[in-house]
Amino acid sequence: MENKKKEKLFMRDFFRKAGKAIYDYDLIQSGDKILIGVSGGKDSLALLEVLALRARAPKQEYSVVAAHIAVENVAYEVDGKYIADFCERLGVKLVQRTIQSEVNEGSAKPVCFVCAWNRRKALFEIAREAGCNKLALGHHRDDAIESLLMSMMFNGTIASMPPKLDMFEHAFTLIRPFIYLTNEETRQYAVYRDFKNQKKKCPYEKATNRNAVAEIIRQMETLSPHVKGNLFASMKNIQTEYLP
């Protein structure tokens, strides 16, 4: 009984944080048709479920479509039938597409960057074909913090993942409703919902700057347990008078 109560409280808080991000950043409006990128990982499955369930509420006048992009020449594998069954249970249409990505380990651009760029391009194409005006991705707060440090360390810029990004001259909008949620929270959500793991993980996912930066952040947390929260808050608290 205690575990069920704990799970119920967690789920309520999880949906509340997603709803707060949607409200704070005006991510969803009446009449929106939203394409949700579903990789098969915990973040995208959780996002699909949350937005699909919210769309059923009487005051939520928007619709969702799911899309899964398989990359033919990258050795990772997800259970396509599981994703299809997951979408069917939610009453969400699923578009599945297989693409090829010109991945080259000797290239100046990281394999993950090239693969992600090609998958994102395919999602934009599907969104246009399906008449969607928004694309929702499952990036969370930890992703945004890591992107901030990566931009500063490797590009010499202060940039990250905005919750809402107008694209193609405001004809299309990319949204991130999980921007207030942490990686640990989406992991716990997946545990409670018993999401199925990918069949085979990407061989390149551990050899990235993002993983190295995540480890740096873990080391920073030994100095202060509030590091992640403070880094996230700093993106809205830029004091230009104290910058060069």
Side-chain angles (χ1 to χ4, degrees), residues 174-242:
L174 190 154
I175 61 173
R176 296 181 171 97
F178 280 4
I179 199 68
Y180 286 158
L181 290 157
T182 66
N183 180 60
E184 176 57 27
E185 285 172 317
T186 60
R187 188 200 66 77
Q188 186 60 57
Y189 186 97
V191 170
Y192 281 138
R193 301 296 295 126
D194 196 25
F195 289 162
K196 187 174 183 178
N197 292 326
Q198 295 177 2
K199 287 185 175 181
K200 186 187 297 183
K201 293 186 177 182
C202 177
Y204 303 106
E205 66 181 27
K206 293 297 182 182
T208 66
N209 286 335
R210 183 170 294 278
N211 286 88
V213 168
E215 179 56 35
I216 290 173
I217 294 172
R218 281 191 287 271
Q219 293 175 17
M220 292 168 68
E221 286 183 297
T222 63
L223 299 176
S224 169
H226 307 295
V227 161
K228 287 184 179 180
N230 288 339
L231 286 171
F232 186 77
S234 72
M235 289 185 272
K236 295 191 291 185
N237 188 26
I238 299 173
Q239 300 181 22
T240 56
E241 64 269 28
Y242 291 105

Side-chain angles (χ1 to χ4, degrees), residues 1-9:
M1 184 64 70
E2 186 63 30
N3 288 339
K4 282 293 181 183
K5 181 179 179 181
K6 184 179 179 181
E7 179 180 341
K8 185 177 180 180
L9 290 173

Side-chain angles (χ1 to χ4, degrees), residues 130-144:
C132 297
N133 63 314
K134 289 180 179 174
L135 169 63
L137 299 177
H139 297 133
H140 46 63
R141 191 186 74 167
D142 293 71
D143 292 321

Side-chain angles (χ1 to χ4, degrees), residues 26-44:
D26 196 24
L27 300 184
I28 298 176
Q29 289 85 36
S30 176
D32 280 345
K33 188 174 184 181
I34 305 170
L35 182 71
I36 304 173
V38 181
S39 67
K42 61 179 177 58
D43 303 330
S44 62

